[in-house]
Amino acid sequence: MVPHLVTALTGPINELEQRILDSMPAIERWFRLEWMEHTPPFYCSVDIRNAGFKLAPVDTNLFPGGWNNLTDEMLPLAVQAAMAAIEKICPEARNLLIIPENHTRNTHYLASVLQLKRIFTMAGLNVRIGSISPEIKKTLSITLPLGDEIKLEPVIRSKRRLGLKDFDPCTILLNNDLSTGVPGIIEELYEQYLLPPLHAGWNVRRKSRHFQSYEEVGKRFGKLLGIDPWLINPLFGHVENIDFADGVGMDALAEQVDVILSKVRRKYKEYGIKEKPFAVVKADNGTYGMGVMTVRDAKELAALPRKSRNKMGVIKDGQTVHDVIVQEGVLTYERMHNAVAEPVVYMMDRYVVGGFYRMHPDRGEDENLNAPGAGYVPLAFQQSNQLPQAGARPGASAPNRFYMYGVIARLAMLAASYELEATNPDAEIYD
């Protein structure tokens, strides 16, 4: 399936696409040199918004779910990338333990975990799924909607290792984003490889830090291509010490929203863009589309209803929001089945392995689509993953457009590697 790309028809995105296609050898060499200096996250997914005049990442997840939305045609890419990633970290790897999120009622998420198990099994590993949930005291078998069965087994912690009954893994793959902190059971595992590292979790990660790293990457990439970095980078600000429930810090938030909107207006004027700017306020940590709201005018915050403030003030697992990122809103002009859509690109090691469109029939082009009611349609990566069609005019080729998505996603992945280096507690510090 090749999605209908509304943005293929008009707009500077075609100029950006042409610049990226013309610069492909330089871009790939640039990435090669970067990966010689920096270690990519083990896996990640990147939400991208295509406004027609701008293409930018708006979120990067280092513990991606949604693997079940990748098509069978994409699996060989994922398996090859998994092989490369494991060989680089632990060439003699034999047993892999996947540790998922604790919730067991979300069958769509469990289908994603099962897909991960398939990928690493096909990569040549013995794979089992171990739960750190205190509720899982014996093996739990769950039948998923399509008839597949997944087995969750209780983990067993010895003094220095983590495993299952009769299963001693050399590598542990976390698919748990550690929103509520690091459980003691997975700390101090010095004899096993833990992927991603603990400081990749939301107990340490901050979106503001990630986009600060992305801003640095975007400037360097913009210089390489000779483009304005703003075309691939969402402006952002950061506000701390907010209490949405009591209204504390709302003036500072309104001021930051005003700053971002003013900057975006100047850019829109520079490029002759007639759209109305908006900002997106997000919890500075956390996922699942929680703690997100669209603001079109800073004055809206003063009149924010208590229900909306309460919704903004709490994210996954009941965590209270105190810090937020104020991000330039990027419209999405992509459509699937008459619903607003955005591409989500999946990567493992340094490779793009596939992706899908997240679409939502009840959301607007300036709203968060990661919400209940969202649907998923595979991207056409299987036709030509990272191989654009030379000579095709911009906007005329789905593989060309998806190559461009893959480039932007890899920039976000590179930013995540910068971010992880900066937050690594074991990194050597030099004066």
Side-chain angles (χ1 to χ4, degrees):
M1 175 184 292
V2 179
H4 176 56
L5 301 170
V6 175
T7 48
L9 303 178
T10 58
I13 207 72
N14 285 342
E15 298 172 24
L16 177 62
E17 182 177 316
Q18 189 66 63
R19 187 70 62 91
I20 286 176
L21 292 173
D22 291 344
S23 305
M24 188 181 71
I27 289 171
E28 295 306 322
R29 177 179 182 273
W30 186 82
F31 274 121
R32 281 198 303 274
L33 294 176
E34 286 293 324
W35 296 131
M36 289 175 68
E37 299 291 331
H38 305 282
T39 302
F42 187 79
Y43 57 4
C44 70
S45 65
V46 178
D47 297 355
I48 296 174
R49 305 277 286 207
N50 185 353
F53 54 85
K54 176 172 184 146
L55 182 72
V58 294
D59 210 2
T60 301
N61 187 355
L62 299 187
F63 297 86
W67 292 93
N68 53 311
N69 294 314
L70 271 59
T71 63
D72 289 343
E73 292 85 353
M74 296 175 188
L75 287 184
L77 291 170
V79 171
Q80 289 174 340
M83 286 178 173
I86 290 293
E87 285 171 9
K88 188 161 57 176
I89 294 162
C90 181
E92 68 276 12
R94 177 180 300 157
N95 296 336
L96 175 77
L97 178 65
I98 299 176
I99 297 182
E101 297 280 357
N102 286 349
H103 47 70
T104 57
R105 294 184 179 87
N106 186 338
T107 55
H108 293 291
Y109 171 71
L110 293 178
S112 169
V113 175
L114 191 59
Q115 184 81 306
L116 271 178
K117 180 181 178 182
R118 287 193 193 104
I119 289 169
F120 285 98
T121 298
M122 287 188 283
L125 296 168
N126 301 313
V127 186
R128 284 162 71 173
I129 302 166
S131 175
I132 57 174
S133 170
E135 297 178 6
I136 305 293
K137 301 188 186 311
K138 61 180 181 179
T139 300
L140 177 64
S141 296
I142 300 172
T143 302
L144 303 180
L146 295 179
D148 296 319
E149 185 179 71
I150 185 170
K151 288 185 178 181
L152 304 177
E153 302 178 65
V155 296
I156 299 171
R157 174 66 192 253
S158 64
K159 186 175 181 180
R160 303 177 67 86
R161 297 178 72 85
L162 191 70
L164 305 175
K165 184 180 180 182
D166 303 323
F167 188 75
D168 183 26
C170 62
T171 305
I172 297 166
L173 179 63
L174 275 180
N175 198 244
N176 182 315
D177 64 21
L178 308 177
S179 292
T180 56
V182 179
I185 195 169
I186 59 174
E187 291 185 306
E188 300 179 350
L189 293 171
Y190 302 122
E191 295 181 355
Q192 293 165 298
Y193 294 97
L194 186 64
L195 306 168
L198 294 179
H199 65 280
W202 287 120
N203 55 310
V204 173
R205 271 197 90 200
R206 294 296 179 266
K207 293 176 186 177
S208 53
R209 187 184 288 121
H210 173 75
F211 282 99
Q212 185 177 7
S213 296
Y214 184 82
E215 186 174 44
E216 179 186 344
V217 169
K219 285 178 180 176
R220 294 179 55 236
F221 187 77
K223 186 176 180 180
L224 175 73
L225 262 61
I227 62 169
D228 180 353
W230 177 76
L231 294 173
I232 57 171
N233 178 40
L235 302 174
F236 76 96
H238 179 227
V239 184
E240 298 179 340
N241 302 319
I242 293 178
D243 187 327
F244 282 98
D246 294 335
V248 175
M250 298 301 286
D251 290 342
L253 177 57
E255 184 179 338
Q256 188 59 245
V257 167
D258 208 30
V259 167
I260 294 298
L261 290 177
S262 296
K263 289 180 179 179
V264 177
R265 285 188 198 100
R266 286 196 292 271
K267 279 294 183 182
Y268 278 19
K269 185 176 180 181
E270 177 184 342
Y271 284 92
I273 296 163
K274 305 301 182 186
E275 305 293 344
K276 183 177 174 61
F278 66 101
V280 178
V281 179
K282 304 178 182 180
D284 204 19
N285 63 330
T287 52
Y288 288 83
M290 301 175 75
V292 181
M293 68 177 173
T294 299
V295 182
R296 298 166 186 85
D297 189 313
K299 295 176 183 175
E300 296 174 14
L301 294 169
L304 201 64
R306 175 166 289 277
K307 183 179 179 181
S308 298
R309 282 194 279 121
N310 289 343
K311 193 173 180 181
M312 275 299 299
V314 179
I315 53 174
K316 182 185 169 195
D317 295 327
Q319 297 290 297
T320 303
V321 175
H322 295 296
D323 301 343
V324 298
I325 178 175
V326 179
Q327 192 176 65
E328 171 192 351
V330 182
L331 295 165
T332 178
Y333 280 165
E334 305 287 30
R335 298 290 185 278
M336 284 296 295
H337 308 314
N338 296 318
V340 174
E342 64 186 6
V344 184
V345 177
Y346 278 63
M347 289 161 289
M348 193 173 292
D349 193 55
R350 57 193 178 96
Y351 305 103
V352 174
V353 299
F356 54 81
Y357 269 100
R358 179 187 291 121
M359 60 182 191
H360 205 301
D362 301 323
R363 293 291 174 107
E365 61 197 22
D366 60 352
E367 293 183 292
N368 170 40
L369 305 186
N370 189 7
Y376 305 94
V377 176
L379 286 169
F381 276 128
Q382 63 266 33
Q383 292 190 5
S384 180
N385 175 40
Q386 294 182 35
L387 303 177
Q389 297 175 348
R393 64 184 176 82
S397 163
N400 284 358
R401 179 56 48 88
F402 296 135
Y403 174 76
M404 186 167 67
Y405 290 166
V407 168
I408 298 300
R410 285 185 287 165
L411 291 175
M413 178 168 60
L414 180 59
S417 73
Y418 285 23
E419 174 195 358
L420 291 177
E421 288 168 10
T423 58
N424 184 357
D426 299 323
E428 295 183 21
I429 299 175
Y430 299 94
D431 292 329

